[in-house]
Amino acid sequence: MDVIALLGTGTMGTAIGRRLLATGQQHLTVWNRTPARTDPLVAAGARAAATPAEAVRDADLVITMLTDAAAVGEVLYGVDGAAGALRPGTHLVEMSTIGPRALAELVGRLPAGVPLVDAPVAGSAGAAQAGRLVVLAGGTEAAVERVTPMLELLGTVRRCGGSGRGAALKLVLNTALVTAVAATADALAVAEAVGVDRRTAIEALAAGPLGGAVTRATAKDAAFAVALAAKDARLALDALDGVPAPVLTATASVLAAAPHPDEDIAVLTGVHRMDVASHDKEQP
C-alpha cells in the first residue's frame, strides 16, 4: 500500500483525506498550516506532521490541495518546504486550482525524478467523501497511470493529456460554473422586479438552460467559497491575455465585490437551501 502525504486539510483536503481513510488507506500523513485543522483526520487514523518536509519524507504519493499558486509554492519551496524532501520516484499530485501557467512553473522547479500530475477536481466536499468527484488528470502517461488507482478512490478519472491539461480544463469548467451562477442571480433579480415569486422562478429556471446552475445553487453539501471562485475567475481572465470576455469580466467583478467571501457561491443568488426541497442533487 502506498504511503500518501496530504498537504492542505481545508474543506476539500479534509474530505479527500476522509475518503482515503474510509477506503482503507492506512498510511496517510497530513499537514496543514493551522495544525488544529488536521485533528479530524488524525482522529480517523491519519498521522500529523509538523512541517511539509516531514510529511513527505517517506511518501510514495504527495497530494497538494491548497488555496492558490502562492500557497502551493510556499508549501513546496518555503521554509521546511516539501520539495527538498521529495525522493526520486515520489509522485506529486497537484489537486489545487492554480491554472496551467503556475503549474508549468512548479514542474520546472521540482527535483529530478519527481513526476507531477495535475489533478484538479470537479465536485465539492460531499462528492469527495462519497467518491463521486471527477478528477481531471494531466501529465505523462506513465505518471498518470501510476497515480490512477489512488485517484479512482475519489471518483471518475478523466485523462486530459499532457502536463497542465487537467489544470486547463478545470479553468474552463469553473468559468462556466461561476458565470452560470451569476446569471442565475440576475435572473432571480429580474423575477423579483416583475413580481414572480422566488420558488416559481427557481422551478422554472431549473427546467431551463440554467438548470445545472440552479441545481448547484441549491445543493446542500457544496462548498466553493466566493473568494476561491474570484481567484479562479482571475486565473481565467489572465489566461485570456486580453481577449474580450465581457461575461466573465463582469462575473469577476461581482465576485470581487461580494460581501460574504467565505460563503459558498450560492450566496450570490440569495437562494437558501430550504427554498427548493426538490432540487437537492449535487452538481459536480
Side-chain angles (χ1 to χ4, degrees), residues 88-104:
T90 299
H91 283 57
L92 177 60
V93 184
E94 210 309 286
M95 303 191 80
S96 321
T97 301
I98 63 174
R101 290 180 182 172
L103 188 95

Side-chain angles (χ1 to χ4, degrees), residues 17-94:
R18 287 189 185 280
R19 175 64 180 175
L20 293 175
L21 292 167
T23 52
Q25 176 56 44
Q26 300 173 15
H27 305 289
L28 177 66
T29 300
V30 295
W31 173 88
N32 195 73
R33 190 181 308 278
T34 304
R37 298 203 69 174
T38 65
D39 290 349
L41 293 177
V42 171
R47 181 183 74 87
T51 67
E54 178 190 331
V56 308
R57 194 159 285 128
D58 298 317
D60 302 302
L61 304 177
V62 175
I63 299 170
T64 50
M65 177 56 90
L66 299 158
T67 303
D68 53 26
V72 175
E74 178 65 22
V75 168
L76 288 177
Y77 300 108
V79 176
D80 294 322
L86 293 172
R87 298 175 291 111
T90 299
H91 283 57
L92 177 60
V93 184
E94 210 309 286

Side-chain angles (χ1 to χ4, degrees), residues 69 94 96-108 116 118 120 162-172 232 235-236 238-240:
E94 210 309 286
S96 321
T97 301
I98 63 174
R101 290 180 182 172
L103 188 95
E105 294 177 3
L106 289 179
V107 171
L116 184 147
D118 50 300
S163 181
R165 294 299 84 201
L169 184 55
K170 180 61 185 295
L171 278 192
V172 175
D232 293 352
L235 284 176
D238 289 345
L240 285 168

Side-chain angles (χ1 to χ4, degrees), residues 110-138:
L110 284 175
V114 177
L116 184 147
V117 173
D118 50 300
V121 299
S124 195
Q129 290 193 201
R132 300 198 313 270
L133 293 173
V134 177
V135 184
L136 310 172

Side-chain angles (χ1 to χ4, degrees), residues 147-160:
V147 304
T148 290
M150 183 273 290
L151 296 178
E152 287 180 334
L153 298 176
L154 305 177
T156 302
V157 178
R158 175 169 183 164
R159 300 194 181 195
C160 300

